Every structure is written in structure tokens, then in C-alpha cells.
Amino acid sequence: IRSALIMLVATSGLQSAYVSMVASRGVPIIPGTRDPRTCVNHFYAWAVPFIWVFPEDVAKRGVHLSVGHDTRRIPSNSVNPTVKNYHWGDMTAALFQALDEGYDSTILLDYNDLVTEGPGFNIFAVIDGRVVTPKSGMLEGISRKTVFEICEELRIPCEAADIHKDDFMNVEEVFTATTAGGLVPVTRVNGHILGNDIIGPMTEKISRSYWEWHKRDDLVLKIPYNTK
């Protein structure tokens, strides 16, 4: 698969690309059947110009998030959140409400009032000098894993733990992590201003390392573009 994806990006000619892969249940052999076992599975992959979950101007000034108050994250015994999927009914409903209220995006809680994730991104908070991210109810994203690795290199305490909504409103810093845009600071949550409405020092330090890592030869996969 890796070789095919390298060829895909090389063929596209995109110097800054977002590559997506989907394994689909497919189309039923017998039209109209409700038996998913009769579907022929398909694998799709495509490359498009780099995608930002948040517009660059929003990322620069800091994202304004709401904590969803009507919609909750679907329980894991219904849809496993650790498997990347297109079940976004809960996140889309919460996002509609956040946008209608003037926020950039939203964060969903589970039924125990614990922070989970947002539409397309993981959440990190700085609490008492530690970087903390939810330990359940969310996709264990590759960018989330990268934050752990960066923190280890920088010797910054980082852990996955439960974050209750009440504690979340009193954290020092908040940032999001996603492949589509990297690490983005959050400067307001439910109208509450964090860190004088500017990017926090811990967020800035980790974010700077994140983009520096993109230039490291040991971490970069070279694309053999055809220059002819």
C-alpha cells in the first residue's frame, strides 16, 4: 500500500497533498438486499491539495470551540471510536449547533461528561504543566501519537486520562491535533478566554517541533516526482 500511495502522490504532482484511504463494505451483489455479507469490498485512495480542518486565519488567531451541550458522543458499544469511520451523526449535529452559535467547531462529551474529541481532531489540554488528552471515546489519531512522541523528546509530561467537562473549563491551554492542519491552538472554549486569547507557550513549543519534524530526513518519505 505504501508504494501505491507514493505513486499516487507522484502522479498527482502535488507538492503539498492530503492523502486519504477508505476501505468500503462495497456494493451488494444482489441490488436491494440488506445482507452486508453479500457486498463486494473496495479500497479507495486519493490525493488532493492539503486540507486544513480549520482555515489558516482561524488557526493563526486560535480556534473558538464550544463544548456540545445537547449531542453526546455515540457510545463505544454502538460504534467503536478507535476505528476511523464515517459515522458522523453525533459530531455533525453538534457542529451545526456550534456554528449556529458563532463558534468555529465543537467538542463532544460522552454520557459521563468526559471530553472525547471534535469533528476530525483530537483534543489536548495543559493541566498543571502536564499535557493531557482523553483516553477513551475518540479516534487514536496518528497526530495524537506524534504529540506523545514530541513530548517525550522534549521531556514534557504527557498522558492519556479522563478529563471531566468541569475540569476542562479551567485548564491552562488547549490545542487540537489532526493530520489536516497539524497542531492548532484553541484560545476560547464556550466563550471562556484561555491565556489572554493568544497561543500558550506549551502549545507553541510542541507545535514548533511538530512542523520541524516534517523536515527530518528520518521521518520524511521522499516522493519521486517526474520532473520531465
Side-chain angles (χ1 to χ4, degrees):
I1 291 178
R2 186 175 73 169
S3 298
L5 294 177
I6 292 175
M7 182 66 69
L8 174 66
V9 177
T11 302
S12 74
L14 293 169
Q15 298 291 321
S16 180
Y18 179 88
V19 179
S20 187
M21 297 166 283
V22 173
S24 167
R25 175 67 68 178
V27 179
I29 297 176
I30 304 174
T33 180
R34 294 294 185 268
D35 187 347
R37 296 170 301 176
T38 68
C39 294
V40 178
N41 303 150
H42 291 281
F43 175 81
Y44 305 87
W46 61 91
V48 296
F50 188 73
I51 295 171
W52 294 83
V53 166
F54 302 107
E56 292 184 70
D57 58 333
V58 171
K60 186 176 181 179
R61 65 114 153 106
V63 176
H64 300 169
L65 296 178
S66 71
V67 177
H69 47 83
D70 291 337
T71 305
R72 298 297 174 118
R73 191 75 174 96
I74 190 169
S76 59
N77 59 351
S78 295
V79 176
N80 183 355
T82 64
V83 178
K84 196 174 184 71
N85 62 77
Y86 283 127
H87 174 81
W88 270 43
D90 48 359
M91 290 191 282
T92 299
L95 184 58
F96 267 122
Q97 189 168 52
L99 296 173
D100 286 345
E101 294 175 354
Y103 294 97
D104 300 315
S105 193
T106 188
I107 304 168
L108 274 75
L109 303 173
D110 66 13
Y111 284 92
N112 294 313
D113 284 341
L114 300 178
V115 174
T116 60
E117 63 181 340
F121 55 86
N122 288 116
I123 286 288
F124 286 84
V126 177
I127 305 173
D128 297 327
R130 298 175 297 116
V131 175
V132 183
T133 192
K135 70 176 184 180
S136 61
M138 78 294 140
L139 177 72
E140 297 174 356
I142 187 64
S143 296
R144 176 179 181 270
K145 180 176 182 291
T146 301
V147 171
F148 276 97
E149 294 172 347
I150 290 173
C151 286
E152 182 179 9
E153 183 176 275
L154 298 177
R155 297 185 179 180
I156 297 173
C158 184
E159 63 177 318
D162 290 333
I163 306 175
H164 192 272
K165 69 172 183 178
D166 294 337
D167 297 325
F168 187 70
M169 298 307 301
N170 295 299
V171 299
E172 299 156 36
E173 302 177 32
V174 175
F175 63 89
T176 67
T178 170
T179 300
L183 276 58
V184 178
V186 175
T187 53
R188 299 186 187 186
V189 177
N190 282 4
H192 175 67
I193 296 176
L194 302 174
N196 294 320
D197 217 16
I198 60 175
I199 181 173
M202 190 79 78
T203 301
E204 184 176 19
K205 185 176 183 179
I206 297 171
S207 180
R208 184 169 57 250
S209 290
Y210 175 85
W211 292 110
E212 288 175 350
W213 278 27
H214 282 67
K215 303 174 185 176
R216 282 175 40 174
D217 290 338
D218 60 324
L219 299 176
V220 173
L221 198 60
K222 299 293 185 181
I223 302 297
Y225 292 103
N226 186 347
T227 57
K228 294 182 179 180

